[in-house]
Each structure stands twice: as C-alpha cells, then as structure tokens.
Amino acid sequence: ASFLTPCVVLASKAGAGSRTEARRWIAEGRVEVDGRVVSVPEAWIDPAKARIALDGRPLHWLSPAPF
C-alpha cells in the first residue's frame, strides 16, 4: 500500500543526511521531485511513485518492511 510522506523525511531516510540537512537542501533548491524543485520541506509526496533527486542524482528510498 502506498502512503504520502513529507519530502524532508524521504530525503533524510534515503541516507543522504539528517532532516535538518534535508531542510537546508530544500531551501537551497537542491531537491527535486519528478523533475520539479521542491520549495516546501513538508510537501507530501508518494514515495512509491515519485522520483526524488538531490543535486540531480536520484535518491533511493526503501519502504519499511510490513509488520
């Protein structure tokens, strides 16, 4: 099942850095979702469908294991 997650959380969960760092990257215009620059850290996105990139490089997010 797919669920929406804030962009800042996905950027940090992808192993790129902390949530604080992810907020800074978003403010600097370095994070893209589906080819568009994200300007709001709390923007809700679908990790199963969205393509997330930092500085043009794709971030790969692994969904948590089902319980």
Side-chain angles (χ1 to χ4, degrees):
S2 187
F3 57 93
L4 298 178
T5 305
C7 184
V8 69
V9 172
L10 289 181
S12 66
K13 295 275 185 197
S18 69
R19 288 187 190 190
T20 301
E21 290 172 309
R23 285 183 188 282
R24 188 180 77 239
W25 299 328
I26 291 169
E28 293 170 351
R30 296 172 56 192
V31 177
E32 296 179 7
V33 175
D34 294 330
R36 290 190 279 177
V37 174
V38 177
S39 58
V40 179
E42 292 78 20
W44 291 89
I45 59 174
D46 184 345
K49 298 177 183 175
R51 292 170 300 172
I52 306 160
L54 173 62
D55 294 333
R57 286 185 244 137
L59 293 178
H60 301 287
W61 182 78
L62 300 175
S63 60
F67 295 98

